[in-house]
Amino acid sequence: MKYTRLGRTGLEVSRIAFGTWQVSGEWGSYDVDAAQGAIRHARELGVNFFDTAQAYGFGESEEVLANALRHELEHDRDSVVIATKGGINPGTDRPRDSSREYLRSGVEASLRAMKIDHIDLYQVHWPDERTPFADTAGYLQELVDEGKIRHVGVSNYDEKQLAAFDLRRPVETLQPPYHLFRRGIEADVLPYVREHDIGTLVYSPLGSGLLTGTMDENTTFEDSDWRAQATAFSGETFRANLAVVERLMSLAADKGIEVSQLAIAWVLAQDGIDTAIVGARSERNIERSLAAVDVELTADDLAEIEKITADGIQVTGASPEGVA
């Protein structure tokens, strides 16, 4: 495993973080034992950075993660960096809520779910336009001062929202979506985070499965899987991007790697990206993803990837209000 400094936090974290969105019930059914086995195996292979969220199964994902890492959390706490997120309440009349009361209750709920006394990195899951961003920053600083959280980050913020948050206390990390079919952060967000030394941990580097090479036009999803309602996985968008993935698979094969490894390596090669968050429900899948840290992409490789993906269609994903 390779490690990097996570921006302003100063934390040394693995360049691939283990993400637990897939053990929330939002991706269809899963086997808890297998998922915890994948988490433990990732730790054995050097991953020290784990990302979860209160909203992933309303604490279910946090519990699964913490139970898998119980030995480290009780006997070697500083050996792992635990990141979680709060500030959303999907399915309610206020799906984004960064008020003092809701953030505080969320931190307390996460601490209870994971049976820990502090959270290494607490992130606002989605921007809440009803609460001034500087106020949200102040509320989180209160929790830092109390020792309940160590570092403060945000997720899905744009550069203007980052700047507004920064007026009260520094944003230490940003967690945006980023992959070959979702590159919106390149124009303004990435330049901002590079300029301000904000640690960047990106989610969905595999396009929520689109870049794994395991899908075709006949792929279907369980009703409980959010992708069953997503435009990125149906119609002409899906067909066009699958054709691009097929060409990427050929390029990956020429390099002796899998297309998923190519996609993760591409993300890690981009200036300003510290860590890619990858989820897995089996030990084999996490092994394959972690191998991407050792993939070296040449300038010619990167140029060829740009040429191939120029024929793709940019997509969006899930949000607290629904699925795009």
Side-chain angles (χ1 to χ4, degrees), residues 16-20 22 35 38-39 42 47 49-51 65 277-280 286:
I16 292 183
F18 193 104
T20 61
Q22 79 282 358
I39 293 168
V47 173
F49 196 14
F50 298 85
D51 180 77
L65 173 65
I277 302 171
V278 176
I286 195 60

Side-chain angles (χ1 to χ4, degrees), residues 301-316:
D301 292 331
L302 294 171
E304 183 63 18
I305 290 170
E306 290 292 323
K307 180 179 178 181
I308 292 171
T309 55
D311 294 329
I313 299 174
Q314 291 292 292
V315 301
T316 56

Side-chain angles (χ1 to χ4, degrees), residues 36 40 62-71 73 113 115:
Q36 291 183 328
R40 287 192 292 270
E62 291 177 322
E63 291 181 9
V64 170
L65 173 65
N67 288 337
L69 296 176
R70 184 54 54 199
H71 178 80
L73 294 177
K115 297 182 176 66

Side-chain angles (χ1 to χ4, degrees), residues 240-290:
N241 287 343
L242 285 174
V244 170
V245 172
E246 189 171 343
R247 293 168 61 192
L248 290 171
M249 290 173 66
S250 179
L251 175 61
D254 289 343
K255 293 184 64 63
I257 60 176
E258 299 179 10
V259 69
S260 60
Q261 295 164 341
L262 181 79
I264 296 169
W266 177 85
V267 166
L268 294 176
Q270 305 309 303
D271 187 21
I273 304 301
D274 296 313
T275 294
I277 302 171
V278 176
R281 295 180 177 181
S282 71
E283 294 184 10
R284 171 61 181 144
N285 283 344
I286 195 60
E287 284 181 2
R288 294 159 72 180
S289 292
L290 296 186

Side-chain angles (χ1 to χ4, degrees), residues 154-167:
V154 297
S155 182
N156 300 297
Y157 274 47
D158 64 26
E159 71 284 355
K160 293 179 180 178
Q161 294 162 341
L162 290 168
F165 192 104
D166 254 341
L167 292 174

Side-chain angles (χ1 to χ4, degrees), residues 46-276:
V47 173
N48 74 339
F49 196 14
F50 298 85
D51 180 77
T52 184
Q54 180 189 10
Y56 295 167
F58 295 95
E60 177 181 351
S61 176
E62 291 177 322
E63 291 181 9
V64 170
L65 173 65
N67 288 337
L69 296 176
R70 184 54 54 199
H71 178 80
E72 286 85 353
L73 294 177
E74 293 183 354
H75 302 287
D76 194 9
R77 181 63 182 84
D78 291 339
S79 68
V80 291
V81 176
I82 302 296
T84 192
K85 299 178 287 293
I88 66 169
N89 195 8
T92 69
D93 59 358
R94 189 172 180 180
R96 306 184 187 198
D97 188 350
S98 294
S99 63
R100 173 187 275 116
E101 295 76 14
Y102 195 70
L103 286 176
R104 179 172 289 275
S105 67
V107 167
E108 297 289 358
S110 293
L111 291 171
R112 287 194 301 272
M114 293 187 281
K115 297 182 176 66
I116 54 179
D117 62 5
H118 72 272
I119 296 163
D120 298 298
L121 172 63
Y122 196 78
Q123 305 152 97
V124 181
H125 206 150
W126 283 83
D128 170 19
E129 297 286 354
R130 294 167 61 175
T131 304
F133 297 113
D135 287 355
T136 296
Y139 304 150
L140 291 173
Q141 183 59 47
E142 293 172 4
L143 293 161
V144 172
D145 293 341
E146 294 170 21
K148 294 179 179 179
I149 61 179
R150 296 280 175 85
H151 300 282
V152 171
V154 297
S155 182
N156 300 297
Y157 274 47
D158 64 26
E159 71 284 355
K160 293 179 180 178
Q161 294 162 341
L162 290 168
F165 192 104
D166 254 341
L167 292 174
R168 181 65 59 87
R169 65 97 67 206
V171 178
E172 294 178 84
T173 66
L174 171 68
Q175 183 178 153
Y178 189 52
H179 55 78
L180 283 164
F181 296 119
R182 193 170 184 182
R183 300 176 62 172
I185 65 172
E186 293 178 350
D188 299 304
V189 173
L190 278 182
Y192 187 93
V193 302
R194 288 194 295 262
E195 179 183 354
H196 294 85
D197 193 25
I198 295 173
T200 309
L201 52 154
V202 303
Y203 70 87
S204 296
L206 295 176
S208 301
L210 187 58
L211 286 155
T212 61
T214 61
M215 296 182 180
D216 60 34
E217 293 183 17
N218 298 313
T219 297
T220 58
F221 306 95
E222 294 182 25
D223 290 342
S224 58
D225 190 320
W226 69 271
R227 293 172 295 182
Q229 286 79 45
T231 57
F233 295 92
S234 64
E236 181 54 33
T237 297
F238 192 37
R239 288 190 290 272
N241 287 343
L242 285 174
V244 170
V245 172
E246 189 171 343
R247 293 168 61 192
L248 290 171
M249 290 173 66
S250 179
L251 175 61
D254 289 343
K255 293 184 64 63
I257 60 176
E258 299 179 10
V259 69
S260 60
Q261 295 164 341
L262 181 79
I264 296 169
W266 177 85
V267 166
L268 294 176
Q270 305 309 303
D271 187 21
I273 304 301
D274 296 313
T275 294

